[in-house]
Amino acid sequence: MKNTVIALFFAGCIGLISCLDDPDCVRSTTDFVNLKFYQSEGGGQDTVDIERIVVLGSDSVLLADTTFFSTVFLPVNVLTDSVTFVFQTEFGIDTLALTYNSSSRLISEDCGVEVLFSNLREGRNDFDSLVVVNNTLIEAIDEDIRIFH
Amino acid sequence: MKISGFFISLLVLAGATCAFSQDAPVIHPDSVKGKFKPTGVRLGTGVINIIRTSANSNLTELTFIADIDFYRYFWNVEWGLFERTRAGGANSVYSVEGSYFRFGPEINFLKKDPEKNALFFGLRYARASFDDELTYTSASGFFDNDQLAISNSGLQADWYEMVTGLKVKIWKNLWMGYTARFKFGVDTFERNELIPHDIPGYGRADQRSAWDFNYWIMFRIPLRKQPGSVLEAIKPVDK
């Protein structure tokens, strides 16, 4: 009996190897809001002539080309809980304020930090209609907000 | 005893406590008396934690264990201390410090072993209390980058464990053992502004379940003499 117990004890040493595990450097989150334009009548996807998009309170111009877009990517800021964008389009000037929560976590020493933006919602906007279709910013999801003109 | 014979014995013990044959042992009435009185208390510490603490200047992890026997059952209490700092990319530094405890019953499948060695299975309830902090430089491609410092204070995490392992008498009152544990039912705190990376006593906070393994070195304090075997074979009746 004693020999069996000792044998089992040392057999358990193999389990020590299983203590080593590290997370994978896989990031599924993004810090961009994926916004698509739709027609108010009919509901089909639309293209809009955007002259420029600027972030309120910032000198940065997000977009400054006179080009037709059906999709734009709007950055969110981990340092604040809201961002306001000013759209200058063929329809005039529209404002879109977005609010959100951010959560940060260390993935690992090698992988660094990941930020998760969630609870995305509209603060105010001047568009005809706006729907938040996804409120957690995930890389694999290709549409977060629908704007109807 | 061969290993296969040992496992067969275990199955017989677990499933057939009432299956006595004509020559099988029976419980002697006098020997049952007092068998649930504790015979000793074991106090010990986790060996792997000490090795890891010695090898890593950014880690302090100490675990202490105590158990007391009630016949073939043990009541087990563990307490641990955990501090760790991790430095990563984007100038990130994550630090966590806290303590944890867990307790629960165990059943010993080697109840006939005269040395009271134990091959056990048990359950645990565990709770950790901890604070953590993360500082890093935001890496937005559009907004100004800045240093962030976020923290959690007074977090509590609960979880449950299924454990199995061995406790073996090495020499006199010196014992060694190991515990393999499956941990589950923890909150991963994904609603927090800072999502913890480590939960003291549990491990990575992003895992809803986890395996763990630890070796123990223990010292047994006898409380009374161990009772003799409670089983006695029936002697053949002379006719």
Side-chain angles (χ1 to χ4, degrees):
Chain A
M1 174 68 81
K2 189 168 185 176
N3 289 340
T4 305
V5 168
I6 291 171
L8 281 170
F9 180 79
F10 286 106
C13 295
I14 298 166
L16 182 62
I17 298 165
S18 68
C19 293
L20 307 171
D21 69 327
D22 265 329
D24 299 324
C25 288
V26 177
R27 292 166 196 267
S28 58
T29 63
T30 177
D31 56 355
F32 284 92
V33 176
N34 196 329
L35 182 149
K36 292 185 189 306
F37 294 102
Y38 288 83
Q39 297 168 342
S40 292
E41 295 178 3
Q45 202 163 347
D46 196 11
T47 55
V48 174
D49 184 4
I50 299 174
E51 292 178 19
R52 52 193 266 141
I53 300 175
V54 296
V55 180
L56 211 61
S58 165
D59 298 332
S60 304
V61 177
L62 188 62
L63 207 62
D65 292 326
T66 306
T67 316
F68 287 92
F69 289 94
S70 61
T71 302
V72 291
F73 295 93
L74 306 176
V76 288
N77 190 355
V78 68
L79 299 171
T80 62
D81 59 4
S82 67
V83 182
T84 301
F85 303 94
V86 178
F87 289 70
Q88 193 172 339
T89 69
E90 58 186 297
F91 304 108
I93 295 176
D94 297 302
T95 303
L96 169 63
L98 297 174
T99 61
Y100 47 84
N101 299 121
S102 63
S103 301
S104 304
R105 73 178 182 107
L106 180 74
I107 302 173
S108 70
E109 287 97 327
D110 293 334
C111 306
V113 175
E114 179 182 51
V115 181
L116 173 68
F117 293 93
S118 60
N119 197 20
L120 178 72
R121 55 212 184 272
E122 57 171 299
R124 55 158 290 200
N125 77 88
D126 300 327
F127 296 101
D128 290 349
S129 176
L130 183 147
V131 178
V132 177
V133 293
N134 171 56
N135 64 9
T136 301
L137 303 186
I138 304 294
E139 186 82 47
I141 296 177
D142 65 355
E143 186 175 33
D144 302 310
I145 291 178
R146 291 181 179 182
I147 286 183
F148 295 89
H149 265 291
Chain B
M1 182 188 290
K2 290 180 180 176
I3 296 218
S4 57
F6 169 74
F7 282 112
I8 290 167
S9 301
L10 276 183
L11 287 173
V12 171
L13 282 171
T17 51
C18 296
F20 295 103
S21 65
Q22 198 170 19
D23 296 329
V26 296
I27 297 174
H28 189 291
D30 292 340
S31 64
V32 176
K33 187 178 178 183
K35 70 178 180 181
F36 281 96
K37 285 186 180 175
T39 63
V41 174
R42 277 183 292 233
L43 304 173
T45 186
V47 177
I48 291 179
N49 306 132
I50 293 172
I51 294 170
R52 290 174 63 190
T53 298
S54 306
N56 189 341
S57 60
N58 295 321
L59 172 69
T60 301
E61 185 178 17
L62 297 172
T63 309
F64 302 96
I65 187 172
D67 73 8
I68 187 167
D69 65 310
F70 302 95
Y71 178 45
R72 62 183 297 197
Y73 306 97
F74 297 101
W75 185 256
N76 195 293
V77 179
E78 295 169 41
W79 182 84
L81 186 70
F82 184 89
E83 289 181 28
R84 181 159 200 169
T85 301
R86 297 173 183 269
N91 300 319
S92 59
V93 178
Y94 176 79
S95 60
V96 56
E97 63 175 86
S99 62
Y100 58 92
F101 66 85
R102 45 191 165 219
F103 58 83
E106 291 171 356
I107 182 170
N108 180 11
F109 293 109
L110 302 183
K111 66 177 181 178
K112 289 171 71 174
D113 187 87
E115 302 281 7
K116 298 211 78 164
N117 294 317
L119 169 64
F120 64 89
F121 173 81
L123 301 171
R124 299 277 191 280
Y125 166 76
R127 168 173 281 197
S129 302
F130 61 103
D131 305 324
D132 63 350
E133 182 179 21
L134 174 66
T135 58
Y136 69 99
T137 303
S138 66
S140 169
F142 187 79
F143 300 102
D144 294 335
N145 294 333
D146 202 355
Q147 188 81 8
L148 272 100
I150 46 180
S151 61
N152 293 308
S153 181
L155 281 186
Q156 288 200 331
D158 304 84
W159 68 93
Y160 302 92
E161 299 179 355
M162 289 190 289
V163 299
T164 187
L166 275 177
K167 295 171 186 175
V168 180
K169 182 178 180 179
I170 300 297
W171 179 69
K172 290 189 176 178
N173 290 327
L174 184 67
W175 289 65
M176 289 187 76
Y178 66 78
T179 303
R181 58 182 85 236
F182 176 67
K183 303 180 261 194
F184 59 96
V186 76
D187 185 352
T188 54
F189 299 101
E190 290 184 1
R191 302 168 304 281
N192 290 27
E193 187 180 7
L194 168 58
I195 302 170
H197 184 276
D198 295 301
I199 296 175
Y202 181 82
R204 278 172 45 196
D206 62 329
Q207 295 182 318
R208 297 218 174 254
S209 62
W211 288 94
D212 196 7
F213 198 85
N214 206 348
Y215 286 96
W216 306 101
I217 185 161
M218 292 173 284
F219 188 81
R220 185 172 184 275
I221 303 168
L223 299 178
R224 68 184 182 105
K225 281 190 176 180
Q226 294 181 13
S229 172
V230 295
L231 301 175
E232 183 176 307
I234 295 175
K235 293 177 182 173
V237 179
D238 295 332
K239 293 183 178 177

